[in-house]
Amino acid sequence: MTTAPARDGVDTGRLSSALDPEAHAIVYDQYVSEDAADPLGGELRRISQVDRAHLVMLTERGVVDPARAAALLRAVEELRAADFGPVRGRPMPRGVYLAYEGWLIERLGDETGGILHTGRSRNDLNATTARLRARTPYLRLLDAVDRLAAVLLAQADRYADVTMPAYTHGQPAVPITYGHYLAGVAGAVLRAYGHLLDAGRQLDVNPLGAGAIGGTSVPVDSERTARLLGFTGAATNSVDAVASRDFALSLLAASATLGVSLARVARDLSVWTAEEAALLQVADTLVGSSSMMPQKRNPFLLEHIQGRSTASLGAFMSAASAMTTAGYTNAIAVGTEAMRHLWPGLSDTTDAVTLLRLVVAGTEPRPERMTERAREGFTAATYLAERLVADGMPFRAAHHKVGETVLAALGSGRSLEETAGLDTDLAPDRVAAACVHGGGPGSDGLPPLHRQLDAHRAEAAVRRDRWSDAEELLADAVRQAVRA
């Protein structure tokens, strides 16, 4: 017997294809150095974004001298173009913002650089930049959920006629279709999509102008900065604006609810892909091998889904616990300690959603095996009892009679039809098709789900476009202020 050499770790014997690139990036790139990440640059960019809007507004309101504001805006633009190189190496004994502002004051003098913080505190600044920071992972999660919902609906339509048992307590219960199961999962995912959109509305409230906690006597226009930064409106209470980070809890709660559904689906798929059940076949690009056992095909991505789907639940508990230690005012426990749990919570949930999408798209049912298990599990028994009820028998009596018939069939090795002496066809696909009431597999439940997906997608697009358009709106306002 001849063997081919392994190809860069791809060929493991039974498996000759590499893991899907998206899945690989999630499950293996955790071991790659994250030195490329730039949290300092990201925070400086968000601070400067707020500064630009704030200075434009102060100029328009006549609060600051236009020439000094223009000089300051030019300096900020230069810093942004240089990726904040002059600030990165500075000592930051009192934090990022004061080091950044200090550089501007040194560069332009106190009379120009010192106007930056007029009518503003780090408290409302931090509340604003936290919302700006949340936009990117939030949109990434929305996009992942959207794509998962679309795949679930497409596969639900594709496998609408593939009959399988529905399971309760791990036992065959009644016949449904694999498409009907996937449509049910799509319903849960679409509800989570809606919850995330609801939570995202809190991201659209502008806290800028609330100052330290009591607002400001400077005639700021928070509605103007809201438009320049892509918010839909300004906070109406200064205490609430700086004290609250409820948006983080709402996002994590929605993510945690979604995560519970993801974990439950992953458990189902783990059982159904096992050789003992053999109801589903996962593509080679979505399974792993064993370093020792050459026969193995491990659907290990399902375990990653189960692991990462719980991250948002833990993050919610940690963030909420941190917040409960603080009074309803600006607090480090809220603005810093609680918020640090949001980012990994959203990121890991996004990874779990992405992995489930890949698995659902790359998994095929085994129709013959599914039908066999539906027959062997006597899943038509409930339908038979309901037919007896239709003929006038009380349900409990019918339930008892069919139970005895199933017991007799098990003892004789005959089918349910043969044992009952019926001419009625109790084929699982026929029974599933007959269950048209109560949202059963015989009903067409996909059109409402498609409409729901379209509505969610439209709402998400409006938010995404507003945030994107605001960047150009602000850039234009800055250009005009600099030229003035």
Side-chain angles (χ1 to χ4, degrees):
M1 181 177 66
T2 60
T3 59
R7 298 190 297 275
D8 297 326
V10 170
D11 194 336
T12 64
R14 184 174 180 180
L15 302 177
S16 59
S17 55
L19 186 65
D20 178 273
E22 272 191 284
H24 189 284
I26 291 172
V27 301
Y28 289 131
D29 285 2
Q30 60 181 304
Y31 304 116
V32 177
S33 171
E34 297 183 355
D35 290 344
D38 185 18
L40 175 60
E43 183 62 14
L44 285 167
R45 187 159 292 275
R46 288 185 291 271
I47 290 172
S48 66
Q49 187 80 339
V50 176
D51 286 347
R52 297 161 83 214
H54 188 62
L55 283 169
V56 166
M57 178 275 295
L58 290 177
T59 304
E60 293 173 347
R61 297 284 285 175
V63 174
V64 299
D65 176 67
R68 294 189 185 282
L72 189 49
L73 281 168
R74 279 192 290 270
V76 170
E77 295 300 286
E78 290 172 8
L79 272 179
R80 287 168 64 88
D83 198 23
F84 304 96
V87 178
R88 288 176 181 271
R90 290 175 64 87
M92 298 184 181
R94 295 294 179 181
V96 176
Y97 173 76
L98 290 180
Y100 158 81
E101 184 190 49
W103 185 88
L104 291 170
I105 292 173
E106 289 179 11
R107 170 80 178 276
L108 302 172
D110 187 62
E111 290 188 357
T112 297
I115 68 173
L116 181 61
H117 215 46
T118 304
R120 197 180 68 189
S121 164
R122 275 191 295 180
N123 295 354
D124 60 338
L125 172 62
N126 291 341
T128 306
T129 58
R131 283 167 170 79
L132 297 182
R133 180 180 179 183
R135 288 178 179 179
T136 297
Y138 171 72
L139 290 178
R140 191 178 296 125
L141 176 56
L142 281 188
D143 180 62
V145 172
D146 187 288
R147 296 176 71 188
L148 171 59
V151 166
L152 284 166
L153 292 178
Q155 297 294 78
D157 183 64
R158 179 181 180 185
Y159 298 122
D161 297 323
V162 177
T163 308
M164 68 173 290
Y167 289 87
T168 61
H169 306 288
Q171 307 301 313
V174 295
I176 58 170
T177 69
Y178 184 50
H180 190 63
Y181 172 83
L182 293 176
V185 175
V189 170
L190 286 168
R191 282 194 301 278
Y193 199 162
H195 295 158
L196 286 166
L197 289 170
D198 289 341
R201 294 188 184 104
Q202 297 180 49
L203 292 178
D204 281 334
V205 178
N206 178 27
L208 200 62
I213 193 168
T216 175
S217 62
V218 176
V220 297
D221 184 352
S222 297
E223 293 293 342
R224 175 58 170 160
T225 54
R227 290 191 297 275
L228 291 171
L229 293 171
F231 297 108
T232 56
T236 58
N237 183 281
S238 61
V239 173
D240 191 40
V242 300
S244 173
R245 298 294 189 278
D246 287 359
F247 74 86
L249 295 183
S250 296
L251 289 175
L252 288 173
S255 299
T257 302
L258 171 61
V260 170
S261 297
L262 300 177
R264 296 177 68 188
V265 174
R267 182 186 184 279
D268 284 343
L269 299 184
S270 293
V271 173
W272 298 343
T273 55
E275 288 295 328
E276 285 74 10
L279 301 181
L280 299 172
Q281 174 77 16
V282 184
D284 279 1
T285 56
L286 298 171
V287 299
S289 61
S290 166
S291 64
M292 185 177 187
M293 298 169 284
Q295 85 283 8
K296 294 296 294 297
R297 293 182 81 260
N298 301 325
F300 73 118
L301 296 183
L302 295 170
E303 297 177 59
H304 282 285
I305 293 169
Q306 289 178 299
R308 300 204 183 195
S309 63
T310 61
S312 53
L313 178 59
F316 175 85
M317 293 300 296
S318 297
S321 298
M323 289 188 189
T324 59
T325 66
Y328 205 72
T329 183
N330 180 72
I332 290 174
V334 175
T336 301
E337 293 304 318
M339 288 299 297
R340 68 187 178 88
H341 299 288
L342 176 61
W343 321 117
L346 294 181
S347 177
D348 283 354
T349 302
T350 302
D351 287 346
V353 170
T354 300
L355 290 176
L356 183 59
R357 169 178 57 82
L358 293 172
V359 170
V360 170
T363 296
E364 295 184 356
R366 290 172 163 172
E368 292 183 3
R369 176 60 175 163
M370 286 182 163
T371 300
E372 177 187 15
R373 289 304 302 131
R375 283 189 176 277
E376 291 175 350
F378 296 98
T379 58
T382 301
Y383 174 78
L384 177 57
E386 291 176 344
R387 294 309 90 208
L388 295 176
V389 169
D391 291 338
M393 183 179 294
F395 176 77
R396 191 53 58 200
H399 184 278
H400 185 74
K401 182 176 179 60
V402 173
E404 289 181 333
T405 304
V406 170
L407 190 61
L410 285 169
S412 65
R414 294 183 298 171
S415 70
L416 190 61
E417 296 98 322
E418 293 171 330
T419 306
L422 298 174
D423 293 331
T424 303
D425 184 4
L426 297 180
D429 58 342
R430 181 181 179 279
V431 173
C435 295
V436 298
H437 304 291
S443 63
D444 187 6
L446 285 179
L449 295 176
H450 279 288
R451 289 193 294 271
Q452 192 175 358
L453 176 58
D454 289 341
H456 290 342
R457 185 172 287 167
E459 182 175 340
V462 168
R463 187 167 294 157
R464 179 183 287 106
D465 290 346
R466 175 164 29 80
W467 290 346
S468 177
D469 292 345
E471 293 186 11
E472 186 57 35
L473 177 66
L474 177 56
D476 285 341
V478 168
R479 284 191 288 268
Q480 292 176 20
V482 168
R483 287 197 298 264

